[in-house]
mmCIF file with all atom_site columns, all heavy atoms in Angstrom:
data_model
loop_
_atom_site.group_PDB
_atom_site.id
_atom_site.type_symbol
_atom_site.label_atom_id
_atom_site.label_alt_id
_atom_site.label_comp_id
_atom_site.label_asym_id
_atom_site.label_entity_id
_atom_site.label_seq_id
_atom_site.pdbx_PDB_ins_code
_atom_site.Cartn_x
_atom_site.Cartn_y
_atom_site.Cartn_z
_atom_site.occupancy
_atom_site.B_iso_or_equiv
_atom_site.pdbx_formal_charge
_atom_site.auth_seq_id
_atom_site.auth_comp_id
_atom_site.auth_asym_id
_atom_site.auth_atom_id
_atom_site.pdbx_PDB_model_num
ATOM 1   N N   . ASN A 1 12  ? -2.357  21.450 3.912  1.00 97.00 ? 12  ASN A N   1
ATOM 2   C CA  . ASN A 1 12  ? -3.682  22.067 3.926  1.00 97.00 ? 12  ASN A CA  1
ATOM 3   C C   . ASN A 1 12  ? -4.616  21.316 4.863  1.00 97.00 ? 12  ASN A C   1
ATOM 4   O O   . ASN A 1 12  ? -4.232  20.289 5.455  1.00 97.00 ? 12  ASN A O   1
ATOM 5   C CB  . ASN A 1 12  ? -4.260  22.157 2.502  1.00 97.00 ? 12  ASN A CB  1
ATOM 6   C CG  . ASN A 1 12  ? -4.350  20.790 1.836  1.00 97.00 ? 12  ASN A CG  1
ATOM 7   O OD1 . ASN A 1 12  ? -4.714  19.792 2.474  1.00 97.00 ? 12  ASN A OD1 1
ATOM 8   N ND2 . ASN A 1 12  ? -4.047  20.729 0.544  1.00 97.00 ? 12  ASN A ND2 1
ATOM 9   N N   . GLU A 1 18  ? -6.928  14.033 6.824  1.00 97.00 ? 18  GLU A N   1
ATOM 10  C CA  . GLU A 1 18  ? -6.489  12.677 6.466  1.00 97.00 ? 18  GLU A CA  1
ATOM 11  C C   . GLU A 1 18  ? -5.617  12.095 7.571  1.00 97.00 ? 18  GLU A C   1
ATOM 12  O O   . GLU A 1 18  ? -5.706  10.899 7.893  1.00 97.00 ? 18  GLU A O   1
ATOM 13  C CB  . GLU A 1 18  ? -5.726  12.717 5.143  1.00 97.00 ? 18  GLU A CB  1
ATOM 14  C CG  . GLU A 1 18  ? -5.316  11.371 4.590  1.00 97.00 ? 18  GLU A CG  1
ATOM 15  C CD  . GLU A 1 18  ? -6.469  10.554 4.034  1.00 97.00 ? 18  GLU A CD  1
ATOM 16  O OE1 . GLU A 1 18  ? -7.651  10.966 4.191  1.00 97.00 ? 18  GLU A OE1 1
ATOM 17  O OE2 . GLU A 1 18  ? -6.213  9.480  3.460  1.00 97.00 ? 18  GLU A OE2 1
ATOM 18  N N   . HIS A 1 42  ? 26.767  14.415 12.393 1.00 96.00 ? 42  HIS A N   1
ATOM 19  C CA  . HIS A 1 42  ? 26.657  14.362 13.853 1.00 96.00 ? 42  HIS A CA  1
ATOM 20  C C   . HIS A 1 42  ? 26.270  12.956 14.317 1.00 96.00 ? 42  HIS A C   1
ATOM 21  O O   . HIS A 1 42  ? 26.771  12.482 15.343 1.00 96.00 ? 42  HIS A O   1
ATOM 22  C CB  . HIS A 1 42  ? 25.634  15.383 14.344 1.00 96.00 ? 42  HIS A CB  1
ATOM 23  C CG  . HIS A 1 42  ? 25.716  15.625 15.820 1.00 96.00 ? 42  HIS A CG  1
ATOM 24  N ND1 . HIS A 1 42  ? 26.764  16.270 16.419 1.00 96.00 ? 42  HIS A ND1 1
ATOM 25  C CD2 . HIS A 1 42  ? 24.862  15.291 16.835 1.00 96.00 ? 42  HIS A CD2 1
ATOM 26  C CE1 . HIS A 1 42  ? 26.569  16.333 17.725 1.00 96.00 ? 42  HIS A CE1 1
ATOM 27  N NE2 . HIS A 1 42  ? 25.423  15.744 17.995 1.00 96.00 ? 42  HIS A NE2 1
ATOM 28  N N   . TYR A 1 45  ? 29.314  10.954 14.324 1.00 94.00 ? 45  TYR A N   1
ATOM 29  C CA  . TYR A 1 45  ? 30.112  11.279 15.515 1.00 94.00 ? 45  TYR A CA  1
ATOM 30  C C   . TYR A 1 45  ? 29.569  10.543 16.742 1.00 94.00 ? 45  TYR A C   1
ATOM 31  O O   . TYR A 1 45  ? 30.334  9.950  17.519 1.00 94.00 ? 45  TYR A O   1
ATOM 32  C CB  . TYR A 1 45  ? 30.102  12.785 15.740 1.00 94.00 ? 45  TYR A CB  1
ATOM 33  C CG  . TYR A 1 45  ? 30.600  13.210 17.098 1.00 94.00 ? 45  TYR A CG  1
ATOM 34  C CD1 . TYR A 1 45  ? 31.964  13.271 17.382 1.00 94.00 ? 45  TYR A CD1 1
ATOM 35  C CD2 . TYR A 1 45  ? 29.694  13.522 18.118 1.00 94.00 ? 45  TYR A CD2 1
ATOM 36  C CE1 . TYR A 1 45  ? 32.412  13.641 18.645 1.00 94.00 ? 45  TYR A CE1 1
ATOM 37  C CE2 . TYR A 1 45  ? 30.144  13.899 19.376 1.00 94.00 ? 45  TYR A CE2 1
ATOM 38  C CZ  . TYR A 1 45  ? 31.503  13.955 19.637 1.00 94.00 ? 45  TYR A CZ  1
ATOM 39  O OH  . TYR A 1 45  ? 31.955  14.304 20.891 1.00 94.00 ? 45  TYR A OH  1
ATOM 40  N N   . GLY A 1 53  ? 28.926  -1.443 24.625 1.00 73.00 ? 53  GLY A N   1
ATOM 41  C CA  . GLY A 1 53  ? 27.773  -2.186 25.111 1.00 73.00 ? 53  GLY A CA  1
ATOM 42  C C   . GLY A 1 53  ? 26.457  -1.445 25.001 1.00 73.00 ? 53  GLY A C   1
ATOM 43  O O   . GLY A 1 53  ? 25.397  -2.023 25.244 1.00 73.00 ? 53  GLY A O   1
ATOM 44  N N   . ASP A 1 66  ? 22.638  17.413 24.322 1.00 95.00 ? 66  ASP A N   1
ATOM 45  C CA  . ASP A 1 66  ? 23.315  17.574 23.041 1.00 95.00 ? 66  ASP A CA  1
ATOM 46  C C   . ASP A 1 66  ? 22.722  18.784 22.323 1.00 95.00 ? 66  ASP A C   1
ATOM 47  O O   . ASP A 1 66  ? 21.595  18.733 21.826 1.00 95.00 ? 66  ASP A O   1
ATOM 48  C CB  . ASP A 1 66  ? 23.149  16.299 22.204 1.00 95.00 ? 66  ASP A CB  1
ATOM 49  C CG  . ASP A 1 66  ? 23.982  16.305 20.936 1.00 95.00 ? 66  ASP A CG  1
ATOM 50  O OD1 . ASP A 1 66  ? 23.917  17.301 20.179 1.00 95.00 ? 66  ASP A OD1 1
ATOM 51  O OD2 . ASP A 1 66  ? 24.689  15.310 20.674 1.00 95.00 ? 66  ASP A OD2 1
ATOM 52  N N   . MET A 1 69  ? 21.393  18.323 18.679 1.00 97.00 ? 69  MET A N   1
ATOM 53  C CA  . MET A 1 69  ? 20.130  17.606 18.527 1.00 97.00 ? 69  MET A CA  1
ATOM 54  C C   . MET A 1 69  ? 18.957  18.471 18.984 1.00 97.00 ? 69  MET A C   1
ATOM 55  O O   . MET A 1 69  ? 17.863  18.402 18.412 1.00 97.00 ? 69  MET A O   1
ATOM 56  C CB  . MET A 1 69  ? 20.167  16.282 19.283 1.00 97.00 ? 69  MET A CB  1
ATOM 57  C CG  . MET A 1 69  ? 21.261  15.326 18.808 1.00 97.00 ? 69  MET A CG  1
ATOM 58  S SD  . MET A 1 69  ? 21.241  14.995 17.028 1.00 97.00 ? 69  MET A SD  1
ATOM 59  C CE  . MET A 1 69  ? 19.856  13.867 16.899 1.00 97.00 ? 69  MET A CE  1
ATOM 60  N N   . GLU A 1 104 ? 22.700  -5.456 12.375 1.00 81.00 ? 104 GLU A N   1
ATOM 61  C CA  . GLU A 1 104 ? 22.617  -5.612 13.825 1.00 81.00 ? 104 GLU A CA  1
ATOM 62  C C   . GLU A 1 104 ? 21.394  -4.938 14.440 1.00 81.00 ? 104 GLU A C   1
ATOM 63  O O   . GLU A 1 104 ? 21.123  -5.127 15.625 1.00 81.00 ? 104 GLU A O   1
ATOM 64  C CB  . GLU A 1 104 ? 23.868  -5.033 14.498 1.00 81.00 ? 104 GLU A CB  1
ATOM 65  C CG  . GLU A 1 104 ? 25.155  -5.788 14.193 1.00 81.00 ? 104 GLU A CG  1
ATOM 66  C CD  . GLU A 1 104 ? 26.350  -5.192 14.909 1.00 81.00 ? 104 GLU A CD  1
ATOM 67  O OE1 . GLU A 1 104 ? 26.187  -4.127 15.545 1.00 81.00 ? 104 GLU A OE1 1
ATOM 68  O OE2 . GLU A 1 104 ? 27.442  -5.777 14.827 1.00 81.00 ? 104 GLU A OE2 1
ATOM 69  N N   . HIS A 1 111 ? 3.366   -1.684 19.006 1.00 94.00 ? 111 HIS A N   1
ATOM 70  C CA  . HIS A 1 111 ? 3.068   -0.980 20.260 1.00 94.00 ? 111 HIS A CA  1
ATOM 71  C C   . HIS A 1 111 ? 2.351   0.328  19.977 1.00 94.00 ? 111 HIS A C   1
ATOM 72  O O   . HIS A 1 111 ? 2.208   0.748  18.817 1.00 94.00 ? 111 HIS A O   1
ATOM 73  C CB  . HIS A 1 111 ? 4.350   -0.702 21.042 1.00 94.00 ? 111 HIS A CB  1
ATOM 74  C CG  . HIS A 1 111 ? 5.237   0.323  20.395 1.00 94.00 ? 111 HIS A CG  1
ATOM 75  N ND1 . HIS A 1 111 ? 6.015   0.040  19.281 1.00 94.00 ? 111 HIS A ND1 1
ATOM 76  C CD2 . HIS A 1 111 ? 5.468   1.638  20.669 1.00 94.00 ? 111 HIS A CD2 1
ATOM 77  C CE1 . HIS A 1 111 ? 6.670   1.121  18.913 1.00 94.00 ? 111 HIS A CE1 1
ATOM 78  N NE2 . HIS A 1 111 ? 6.357   2.112  19.741 1.00 94.00 ? 111 HIS A NE2 1
ATOM 79  N N   . ASP A 1 132 ? 18.881  8.736  7.580  1.00 97.00 ? 132 ASP A N   1
ATOM 80  C CA  . ASP A 1 132 ? 19.320  7.829  6.515  1.00 97.00 ? 132 ASP A CA  1
ATOM 81  C C   . ASP A 1 132 ? 18.078  7.461  5.723  1.00 97.00 ? 132 ASP A C   1
ATOM 82  O O   . ASP A 1 132 ? 16.951  7.676  6.191  1.00 97.00 ? 132 ASP A O   1
ATOM 83  C CB  . ASP A 1 132 ? 19.917  6.528  7.080  1.00 97.00 ? 132 ASP A CB  1
ATOM 84  C CG  . ASP A 1 132 ? 21.208  6.730  7.843  1.00 97.00 ? 132 ASP A CG  1
ATOM 85  O OD1 . ASP A 1 132 ? 21.983  7.642  7.487  1.00 97.00 ? 132 ASP A OD1 1
ATOM 86  O OD2 . ASP A 1 132 ? 21.450  5.967  8.799  1.00 97.00 ? 132 ASP A OD2 1
ATOM 87  N N   . PHE A 1 143 ? 3.067   0.938  10.023 1.00 98.00 ? 143 PHE A N   1
ATOM 88  C CA  . PHE A 1 143 ? 1.859   1.437  10.672 1.00 98.00 ? 143 PHE A CA  1
ATOM 89  C C   . PHE A 1 143 ? 0.680   0.522  10.361 1.00 98.00 ? 143 PHE A C   1
ATOM 90  O O   . PHE A 1 143 ? 0.628   -0.097 9.295  1.00 98.00 ? 143 PHE A O   1
ATOM 91  C CB  . PHE A 1 143 ? 1.502   2.839  10.160 1.00 98.00 ? 143 PHE A CB  1
ATOM 92  C CG  . PHE A 1 143 ? 2.523   3.900  10.425 1.00 98.00 ? 143 PHE A CG  1
ATOM 93  C CD1 . PHE A 1 143 ? 2.841   4.833  9.445  1.00 98.00 ? 143 PHE A CD1 1
ATOM 94  C CD2 . PHE A 1 143 ? 3.152   4.012  11.650 1.00 98.00 ? 143 PHE A CD2 1
ATOM 95  C CE1 . PHE A 1 143 ? 3.755   5.839  9.681  1.00 98.00 ? 143 PHE A CE1 1
ATOM 96  C CE2 . PHE A 1 143 ? 4.076   5.004  11.900 1.00 98.00 ? 143 PHE A CE2 1
ATOM 97  C CZ  . PHE A 1 143 ? 4.383   5.932  10.909 1.00 98.00 ? 143 PHE A CZ  1
ATOM 98  N N   . THR A 1 149 ? -7.807  4.973  16.687 1.00 97.00 ? 149 THR A N   1
ATOM 99  C CA  . THR A 1 149 ? -9.174  5.180  17.176 1.00 97.00 ? 149 THR A CA  1
ATOM 100 C C   . THR A 1 149 ? -9.570  4.156  18.233 1.00 97.00 ? 149 THR A C   1
ATOM 101 O O   . THR A 1 149 ? -10.601 4.325  18.892 1.00 97.00 ? 149 THR A O   1
ATOM 102 C CB  . THR A 1 149 ? -10.165 5.122  16.015 1.00 97.00 ? 149 THR A CB  1
ATOM 103 O OG1 . THR A 1 149 ? -10.112 3.822  15.400 1.00 97.00 ? 149 THR A OG1 1
ATOM 104 C CG2 . THR A 1 149 ? -9.844  6.171  14.965 1.00 97.00 ? 149 THR A CG2 1
ATOM 105 N N   . SER A 1 163 ? 14.530  -6.963 21.525 1.00 62.00 ? 163 SER A N   1
ATOM 106 C CA  . SER A 1 163 ? 13.596  -5.872 21.277 1.00 62.00 ? 163 SER A CA  1
ATOM 107 C C   . SER A 1 163 ? 14.075  -4.580 21.904 1.00 62.00 ? 163 SER A C   1
ATOM 108 O O   . SER A 1 163 ? 14.600  -4.571 23.019 1.00 62.00 ? 163 SER A O   1
ATOM 109 C CB  . SER A 1 163 ? 12.216  -6.232 21.845 1.00 62.00 ? 163 SER A CB  1
ATOM 110 O OG  . SER A 1 163 ? 11.359  -5.133 21.860 1.00 62.00 ? 163 SER A OG  1
ATOM 111 N N   . LEU A 1 169 ? 2.510   -5.098 22.132 1.00 92.00 ? 169 LEU A N   1
ATOM 112 C CA  . LEU A 1 169 ? 1.181   -5.710 22.075 1.00 92.00 ? 169 LEU A CA  1
ATOM 113 C C   . LEU A 1 169 ? 1.291   -7.232 22.038 1.00 92.00 ? 169 LEU A C   1
ATOM 114 O O   . LEU A 1 169 ? 2.248   -7.778 21.481 1.00 92.00 ? 169 LEU A O   1
ATOM 115 C CB  . LEU A 1 169 ? 0.434   -5.197 20.844 1.00 92.00 ? 169 LEU A CB  1
ATOM 116 C CG  . LEU A 1 169 ? 0.013   -3.730 20.928 1.00 92.00 ? 169 LEU A CG  1
ATOM 117 C CD1 . LEU A 1 169 ? -0.427  -3.220 19.569 1.00 92.00 ? 169 LEU A CD1 1
ATOM 118 C CD2 . LEU A 1 169 ? -1.118  -3.552 21.938 1.00 92.00 ? 169 LEU A CD2 1
ATOM 119 N N   . GLU A 1 176 ? -1.636  -7.896 10.691 1.00 94.00 ? 176 GLU A N   1
ATOM 120 C CA  . GLU A 1 176 ? -0.477  -7.433 9.943  1.00 94.00 ? 176 GLU A CA  1
ATOM 121 C C   . GLU A 1 176 ? -0.736  -7.337 8.443  1.00 94.00 ? 176 GLU A C   1
ATOM 122 O O   . GLU A 1 176 ? 0.052   -6.714 7.718  1.00 94.00 ? 176 GLU A O   1
ATOM 123 C CB  . GLU A 1 176 ? 0.717   -8.346 10.229 1.00 94.00 ? 176 GLU A CB  1
ATOM 124 C CG  . GLU A 1 176 ? 1.122   -8.343 11.696 1.00 94.00 ? 176 GLU A CG  1
ATOM 125 C CD  . GLU A 1 176 ? 2.471   -8.992 11.943 1.00 94.00 ? 176 GLU A CD  1
ATOM 126 O OE1 . GLU A 1 176 ? 3.272   -9.088 10.986 1.00 94.00 ? 176 GLU A OE1 1
ATOM 127 O OE2 . GLU A 1 176 ? 2.724   -9.397 13.085 1.00 94.00 ? 176 GLU A OE2 1
ATOM 128 N N   . LYS A 1 178 ? -2.799  -5.520 7.173  1.00 96.00 ? 178 LYS A N   1
ATOM 129 C CA  . LYS A 1 178 ? -3.146  -4.118 6.929  1.00 96.00 ? 178 LYS A CA  1
ATOM 130 C C   . LYS A 1 178 ? -1.956  -3.178 7.136  1.00 96.00 ? 178 LYS A C   1
ATOM 131 O O   . LYS A 1 178 ? -2.105  -1.957 7.091  1.00 96.00 ? 178 LYS A O   1
ATOM 132 C CB  . LYS A 1 178 ? -4.293  -3.701 7.847  1.00 96.00 ? 178 LYS A CB  1
ATOM 133 C CG  . LYS A 1 178 ? -5.586  -4.470 7.571  1.00 96.00 ? 178 LYS A CG  1
ATOM 134 C CD  . LYS A 1 178 ? -6.703  -4.010 8.488  1.00 96.00 ? 178 LYS A CD  1
ATOM 135 C CE  . LYS A 1 178 ? -7.997  -4.771 8.184  1.00 96.00 ? 178 LYS A CE  1
ATOM 136 N NZ  . LYS A 1 178 ? -9.099  -4.370 9.103  1.00 96.00 ? 178 LYS A NZ  1
ATOM 137 N N   . HIS A 1 198 ? 2.165   0.653  15.746 1.00 96.00 ? 198 HIS A N   1
ATOM 138 C CA  . HIS A 1 198 ? 3.297   0.681  14.824 1.00 96.00 ? 198 HIS A CA  1
ATOM 139 C C   . HIS A 1 198 ? 4.452   -0.124 15.402 1.00 96.00 ? 198 HIS A C   1
ATOM 140 O O   . HIS A 1 198 ? 4.457   -0.496 16.584 1.00 96.00 ? 198 HIS A O   1
ATOM 141 C CB  . HIS A 1 198 ? 3.723   2.120  14.542 1.00 96.00 ? 198 HIS A CB  1
ATOM 142 C CG  . HIS A 1 198 ? 4.229   2.855  15.757 1.00 96.00 ? 198 HIS A CG  1
ATOM 143 N ND1 . HIS A 1 198 ? 3.404   3.246  16.798 1.00 96.00 ? 198 HIS A ND1 1
ATOM 144 C CD2 . HIS A 1 198 ? 5.474   3.260  16.105 1.00 96.00 ? 198 HIS A CD2 1
ATOM 145 C CE1 . HIS A 1 198 ? 4.115   3.863  17.719 1.00 96.00 ? 198 HIS A CE1 1
ATOM 146 N NE2 . HIS A 1 198 ? 5.384   3.878  17.330 1.00 96.00 ? 198 HIS A NE2 1
ATOM 147 N N   . GLN A 1 207 ? 22.795  -1.489 5.085  1.00 95.00 ? 207 GLN A N   1
ATOM 148 C CA  . GLN A 1 207 ? 22.599  -0.049 5.135  1.00 95.00 ? 207 GLN A CA  1
ATOM 149 C C   . GLN A 1 207 ? 22.083  0.366  6.515  1.00 95.00 ? 207 GLN A C   1
ATOM 150 O O   . GLN A 1 207 ? 21.085  -0.163 6.984  1.00 95.00 ? 207 GLN A O   1
ATOM 151 C CB  . GLN A 1 207 ? 21.592  0.390  4.066  1.00 95.00 ? 207 GLN A CB  1
ATOM 152 C CG  . GLN A 1 207 ? 21.992  0.051  2.649  1.00 95.00 ? 207 GLN A CG  1
ATOM 153 C CD  . GLN A 1 207 ? 23.245  0.784  2.204  1.00 95.00 ? 207 GLN A CD  1
ATOM 154 O OE1 . GLN A 1 207 ? 23.427  1.960  2.528  1.00 95.00 ? 207 GLN A OE1 1
ATOM 155 N NE2 . GLN A 1 207 ? 24.105  0.100  1.470  1.00 95.00 ? 207 GLN A NE2 1
ATOM 156 N N   . THR A 1 226 ? 4.797   12.275 37.841 1.00 93.00 ? 226 THR A N   1
ATOM 157 C CA  . THR A 1 226 ? 4.855   11.180 38.809 1.00 93.00 ? 226 THR A CA  1
ATOM 158 C C   . THR A 1 226 ? 5.873   10.156 38.355 1.00 93.00 ? 226 THR A C   1
ATOM 159 O O   . THR A 1 226 ? 6.142   10.013 37.160 1.00 93.00 ? 226 THR A O   1
ATOM 160 C CB  . THR A 1 226 ? 3.481   10.496 38.942 1.00 93.00 ? 226 THR A CB  1
ATOM 161 O OG1 . THR A 1 226 ? 3.076   9.972  37.661 1.00 93.00 ? 226 THR A OG1 1
ATOM 162 C CG2 . THR A 1 226 ? 2.420   11.475 39.424 1.00 93.00 ? 226 THR A CG2 1
ATOM 163 N N   . GLY A 1 244 ? -0.395  27.827 32.054 1.00 94.00 ? 244 GLY A N   1
ATOM 164 C CA  . GLY A 1 244 ? 0.626   27.438 33.028 1.00 94.00 ? 244 GLY A CA  1
ATOM 165 C C   . GLY A 1 244 ? 0.534   25.970 33.393 1.00 94.00 ? 244 GLY A C   1
ATOM 166 O O   . GLY A 1 244 ? 0.747   25.594 34.558 1.00 94.00 ? 244 GLY A O   1
#
Side-chain angles (χ1 to χ4, degrees):
N12 58 40
E18 185 72 353
H42 194 69
Y45 166 79
D66 188 310
M69 300 307 284
E104 293 181 354
H111 69 284
D132 294 328
F143 298 138
T149 62
S163 169
L169 290 167
E176 298 193 21
K178 296 181 179 178
H198 64 290
Q207 301 295 321
T226 60

